Structures are given as C-alpha cells and as structure tokens.
Amino acid sequence: MSSYRPREAPYSAGADGRSSVPFRHPGSLPPPPPPLPFMPMGMHPPHLRGMPYAPPHPPANIPRIRHPNRPPCTTPSKTLYLRNLSEKANPKVMASTLRALFETYGTILDVRVRHSIRMRGQAFIVFGEQEDAVRAHGEVQGFMLFGKPLFVEFSRTASDATIAQQGEDVESYKLRRIEARDRREQENKDRAAQVSAALAAIPHPELPNKILFLQGLPADVAVSEIERAFAGRPGFIEVRWVSVKPDVAFVEFEAEMQAGAAKAALGSQLVLREDLAPVSISFAKR
C-alpha cells in the first residue's frame, strides 16, 4: 500500500488566474503554536518581550462606578467620602471592616456608615493626619469590598471629629453647616422655579384637531351667535356648550383640515360683537 504525499509544487500565476501560493494538504500543515504561558498582569511572556503592552480589559462582572451629578472634590482633606458600599452588609460589620481597612494608613478618628434610605451605601472616614487620608485616597480607590468597588473622594466639609481636634466649638460649626445647607437648598429651589417659568414661557406648537376650543366667552353670548360665526365654514357640524363652565365652548368640524382652515381664517381670536372682548381660539387637546 503506497503512501500519499501531497503535491507542493507552486501554481504558475498567469492567464488562468491561479495564485502562486503552493497548495498544502490539511494533513501537511504544521501544528498550532502552544498556548501562551500564564504571566502576572503587566508582564510580557518571554517570546513577546519588547513589544508594546496593552492592559487587559476589566472583568465584565465588576460593576461600573456611578459618578455623582457634580464632579468629585479634589481638595485634600482629612475626611474621606466613600460611595458604592454594599447595602446588604450590616452597618456595624461594615464600620468595623472599613476601620480595619483604613487603619493601615494612619490613625482613624471616626467612621460613620450611613444606613438611611437617602444615604445608604455611603460612609465617611476621618483621619488624624491629612497625609494619611491622601495616601488612602489614592490606594483604596476601586478596592473590592463585599463584591463592590469602592469610590473614594475627599469630603467637601470638615467632620465634627476634625473640628474637635482643632479645638473649635462643634455645636456652632454644626449650626453654620445647617444654615449653609438650607441656603443651598433654597438656591436650588429658586433656580428650579426660574427654569420652570422660562420653559412655561416658551410657546408650544398646537396639535391639529377637528374640534376648536373657545375660551373667554362673555356671559350674555348665545349659542346662535357662535353658530353664525362658523356656519359658513366648510365642514362645520355643531357648537357644544359646556354648562359647568359657561365661558368655554367646543366647535366641531368634519375633519382636521377644515377646522384648521377655519382657525387660520379667524386667527387666534374671535370677535363676536364689537362691544365684547375677543374670544381665544385654539385646537382642543386630545
């Protein structure tokens, strides 16, 4: 029984259009290269040293850190503000765990874990020295604690423990902090009211409707007067009076186009009598 050997002679490139790459039978292909050896993160395998290193992508099961609405505080402080804490952990267990974690960087004056509905998942760590807080801020950022990465930033205000360490009156500082918070909340409410008023002043386009809405009708106006104003318009059907609100009425047409033509011809106001104030005309809301 003769063994079969694949033909490896190259094809000649010419008018036949065949490639000059030699044909190789699948059985004659070289074996695949061995898998790359496991190397610690940041190190190259031996045969890839000298090539540019691309850091691996983070695992897909690590949740993304949600940044706050305003940018984090970058001014160094003795107090660190932690977010994205596990809400399933017991607050006492979380406090003792955070203290054990941050005590490796310096003296801890206070650990406050918030467990209210509005502040749960957040905590404050108060250091005795600012240098220790700065070092912990840089090294603990993203640390996985109870399955969630920590988001660490500097606190915008000094803590009560820091004020007491400096020898100042804590109660007066609390009052000033509450007044500043109330002032910020009032400023936010005023700003929101200004935005709402500005949005309300923007005219919104009306959606066409086959029913027109009349508003501001005088008390002594009869339905017949309104019917005479619209009787000659194509597609006019009827005028419906609202008994509970005698200053409004609805004028119905057969189609939206006919109602729109009547509104365009009369404008946004209808003058029923010269001795009466004009009546506003708009499309009825759907």
Side-chain angles (χ1 to χ4, degrees), residues 216-252:
L217 293 171
D220 56 345
V221 172
V223 179
S224 58
E225 297 183 67
I226 305 175
E227 291 178 347
R228 285 197 300 268
F230 292 93
R233 304 294 174 183
F236 170 72
I237 298 179
E238 63 175 349
V239 175
R240 295 200 299 269
W241 197 280
V242 181
S243 59
V244 294
K245 295 189 68 177
D247 61 331
V248 300
F250 295 93
V251 183
E252 184 176 358

Side-chain angles (χ1 to χ4, degrees), residues 119-139:
M119 295 289 292
R120 60 185 177 185
Q122 306 174 47
F124 292 90
I125 309 296
V126 185
F127 281 87
E129 300 296 334
Q130 181 172 301
E131 294 78 8
D132 300 335
V134 172
R135 190 160 57 93
H137 174 272
E139 296 183 8

Side-chain angles (χ1 to χ4, degrees), residues 98-140:
L98 291 176
R99 179 178 290 275
L101 173 63
F102 285 94
E103 274 181 344
T104 59
Y105 295 93
T107 303
I108 301 297
L109 300 182
D110 193 13
V111 177
R112 295 292 180 91
V113 177
R114 304 300 186 183
H115 52 82
S116 63
I117 296 178
R118 188 176 67 89
M119 295 289 292
R120 60 185 177 185
Q122 306 174 47
F124 292 90
I125 309 296
V126 185
F127 281 87
E129 300 296 334
Q130 181 172 301
E131 294 78 8
D132 300 335
V134 172
R135 190 160 57 93
H137 174 272
E139 296 183 8
V140 184

Side-chain angles (χ1 to χ4, degrees), residues 87-101:
E87 300 177 4
K88 299 180 181 179
N90 184 278
K92 294 183 179 180
V93 176
M94 178 64 72
S96 59
T97 304
L98 291 176
R99 179 178 290 275
L101 173 63

Side-chain angles (χ1 to χ4, degrees), residues 13-280:
D16 56 357
R18 293 188 176 183
S19 172
S20 59
V21 178
F23 169 78
R24 290 183 180 272
H25 190 271
S28 64
L29 294 177
L36 298 179
F38 173 77
M39 300 296 294
M41 182 179 296
M43 297 183 61
H44 291 285
H47 61 289
L48 295 180
R49 288 174 182 169
M51 298 180 64
Y53 171 70
H57 295 285
N61 57 350
I62 297 181
R64 289 188 175 184
I65 298 177
R66 181 180 59 83
H67 290 274
N69 295 329
R70 55 180 178 175
C73 179
T74 57
T75 304
S77 171
K78 293 182 180 181
T79 304
L80 296 181
Y81 168 57
L82 310 182
R83 291 195 306 107
N84 201 43
L85 298 176
S86 176
E87 300 177 4
K88 299 180 181 179
N90 184 278
K92 294 183 179 180
V93 176
M94 178 64 72
S96 59
T97 304
L98 291 176
R99 179 178 290 275
L101 173 63
F102 285 94
E103 274 181 344
T104 59
Y105 295 93
T107 303
I108 301 297
L109 300 182
D110 193 13
V111 177
R112 295 292 180 91
V113 177
R114 304 300 186 183
H115 52 82
S116 63
I117 296 178
R118 188 176 67 89
M119 295 289 292
R120 60 185 177 185
Q122 306 174 47
F124 292 90
I125 309 296
V126 185
F127 281 87
E129 300 296 334
Q130 181 172 301
E131 294 78 8
D132 300 335
V134 172
R135 190 160 57 93
H137 174 272
E139 296 183 8
V140 184
Q141 192 73 254
F143 180 80
M144 296 296 296
L145 185 64
F146 293 107
K148 299 183 68 176
L150 290 179
F151 187 81
V152 186
E153 64 182 64
F154 295 110
S155 176
R156 299 181 184 274
T157 58
S159 63
D160 298 344
T162 302
I163 296 299
Q165 185 188 33
Q166 297 173 356
E168 301 181 15
D169 187 7
V170 177
E171 295 300 326
S172 61
Y173 172 73
K174 288 182 178 180
L175 293 177
R176 294 195 306 269
R177 188 172 58 189
I178 293 174
E179 292 175 357
R181 182 193 61 190
D182 296 341
R183 186 168 55 252
R184 288 195 304 268
E185 291 180 354
Q186 187 61 39
E187 291 175 355
N188 294 335
K189 291 180 181 179
D190 296 341
R191 191 178 299 110
Q194 294 176 359
V195 172
S196 300
L199 293 177
I202 299 176
H204 298 281
E206 294 182 295
L207 295 178
N209 196 343
K210 68 176 183 178
I211 301 176
L212 298 181
F213 177 64
L214 306 183
Q215 188 176 14
L217 293 171
D220 56 345
V221 172
V223 179
S224 58
E225 297 183 67
I226 305 175
E227 291 178 347
R228 285 197 300 268
F230 292 93
R233 304 294 174 183
F236 170 72
I237 298 179
E238 63 175 349
V239 175
R240 295 200 299 269
W241 197 280
V242 181
S243 59
V244 294
K245 295 189 68 177
D247 61 331
V248 300
F250 295 93
V251 183
E252 184 176 358
F253 287 82
E254 294 179 356
E256 295 179 358
M257 184 179 298
Q258 295 168 341
K263 184 179 181 301
L266 296 174
S268 59
Q269 292 182 340
L270 172 64
V271 179
L272 296 175
R273 293 201 306 258
E274 294 183 358
D275 58 333
L276 299 178
V279 180
S280 64

